Structures are given as C-alpha cells and as structure tokens.
Amino acid sequence: MNIKDTLLQRSHGQCELCTAKTELSVYEIPPATDPDSDKCVLLCDSCKTQIEKTAEINVNHWRCLNDSMWSQTPAVQVMAWRMLNRLSTESWAQDLLDMLYLEEDVKAWAESEVDDDTTPTLDSNGALLSAGDSVTLIKDLDVKGTGFTAKRGTAVRNISLTSNPEHIEGRVNGVRIVILTKYVKKS
C-alpha cells in the first residue's frame, strides 16, 4: 500500500487537521529524510497552502485544531502544535497550546522545525519575553481610547506576543492593550 492510501485509510478520507474531504494530498512533515506514512499527514489544499506560507493565514480556519490536536497520531499532533505555535498571538490558540500535552519525543519532533528567523521579543533590559510571561510597566502610559493611564509599576500577567517583536499584548484594568516592549521589564 502506498503512502497516500495508508493516510486515506488512517484519516477516513478527510484532512487530518480540518476534516475537509476535497483536494487532499500528502504532506511530509519537515525535517523529512525518507518518505514514511508515520512522518506524513493528509491535508486539504487550504491547510497545505497556509502551512507552507504560500497563502495568508486565515486565523478562523485553524480553530479546527481544537479537535485535531487530540489525535492519537503523532504526526497530526506535531502539525497541530506547530500551527498553534504560529498562531500563539491569538488568545484561543495560546489556550489550546497550554492544554496540549505531547510525549517528549513528539515534542522534540515538533520543535525541530520551528522558524528561528524571527526577531525575538525583548523587554527594556534585553530579557527574552515569551507568551504567558508577566511584565511590569516602567513608565506611565496613556491608553488611547480608554480614558485611563496605565501607571508605572503595574503588573501585566499572561502577556501575548505579536508579529511585531516591539509589541506585546496584555490586560490592564480589564482592557486588552498593545504595549511597546521598551516600556516593560520582565517580572
């Protein structure tokens, strides 16, 4: 049995991430050394083009990961983890990523192809910031459109990273705001 037939049987003829049933093809999960159905997933064209970054990411399309991340197939778990990691600036994706448990070998595989060409997000002292960290404001900040000032010394917990390494998102006075990283220090 060839790889596509094996994957069609394993996936019941649907995309292993979003369950679409049309335009299915085999996707080898990088870093792939030799073709093997255990290192491949069956994807629809929409998922495949977004994963390969040949199409703009449709954030709402990936809400399907809420179901597929629980797959018993390690290859599907790896792809779900990688996409949730790419979407970690979305609060729902970060929540799913926090819930997702991977065996050590599967997590190592998932992390083996994380893009390292992105600029890291650093605080005012040069400390690396990650999603979920807590930071403290080092300056009073006027928050546009809300009518309040975020005071120096205010703790901002469970931050989210954005696509811009100079910005983070966090909640101050119950309002989710974007904060420049040069005005925070890691707690």
Side-chain angles (χ1 to χ4, degrees):
M1 191 179 299
N2 69 24
I3 292 174
K4 186 168 185 175
D5 291 339
T6 303
L7 295 179
L8 280 166
Q9 186 176 7
R10 178 177 84 191
S11 69
H12 306 292
Q14 58 190 18
C15 175
E16 292 187 274
L17 295 180
C18 75
T19 68
K21 296 185 180 195
T22 58
E23 300 178 6
L24 302 175
S25 61
V26 175
Y27 178 76
E28 286 185 38
I29 301 173
T33 51
D34 48 339
D36 179 3
S37 61
D38 291 338
K39 298 188 191 260
C40 297
V41 288
L42 193 65
L43 298 180
C44 67
D45 190 50
S46 179
C47 287
K48 189 173 183 178
T49 57
Q50 291 180 62
I51 287 169
E52 293 175 339
K53 299 179 185 175
T54 56
E56 192 170 319
I57 289 186
N58 174 356
V59 175
N60 287 325
H61 172 81
W62 293 105
R63 290 184 182 266
C64 62
L65 296 175
N66 186 40
D67 296 324
S68 58
M69 70 184 231
W70 302 112
S71 171
Q72 296 298 311
T73 307
V76 177
Q77 294 172 351
V78 166
M79 289 310 304
W81 185 91
R82 287 182 181 179
M83 284 311 298
L84 288 170
N85 200 45
R86 274 178 58 189
L87 296 165
S88 65
T89 57
E90 300 291 325
S91 60
W92 63 266
Q94 185 61 49
D95 291 343
L96 292 178
L97 199 54
D98 291 342
M99 286 189 287
L100 182 59
Y101 171 78
L102 300 177
E103 296 290 335
E104 286 183 37
D105 58 329
V106 175
K107 183 150 183 157
W109 178 19
E111 291 173 339
S112 68
E113 190 61 20
V114 173
D115 291 339
D116 288 331
D117 61 347
T118 57
T119 306
T121 302
L122 305 174
D123 74 357
S124 61
N125 297 325
L128 181 65
L129 295 174
S130 301
D133 284 347
S134 294
V135 296
T136 305
L137 300 179
I138 60 169
K139 177 183 177 181
D140 288 354
L141 302 174
D142 290 326
V143 182
K144 293 179 182 176
T146 62
F148 73 87
T149 300
K151 297 291 184 187
R152 177 182 178 186
T154 301
V156 182
R157 292 176 180 79
N158 197 21
I159 64 166
S160 296
L161 303 183
T162 66
S163 56
N164 183 342
E166 296 178 2
H167 297 164
I168 59 169
E169 291 183 2
R171 244 179 231 293
V172 176
N173 292 347
V175 177
R176 189 158 187 85
I177 62 172
V178 175
I179 307 167
L180 294 175
T181 57
K182 64 184 179 182
Y183 299 129
V184 300
K185 67 177 180 177
K186 191 172 182 176
S187 300

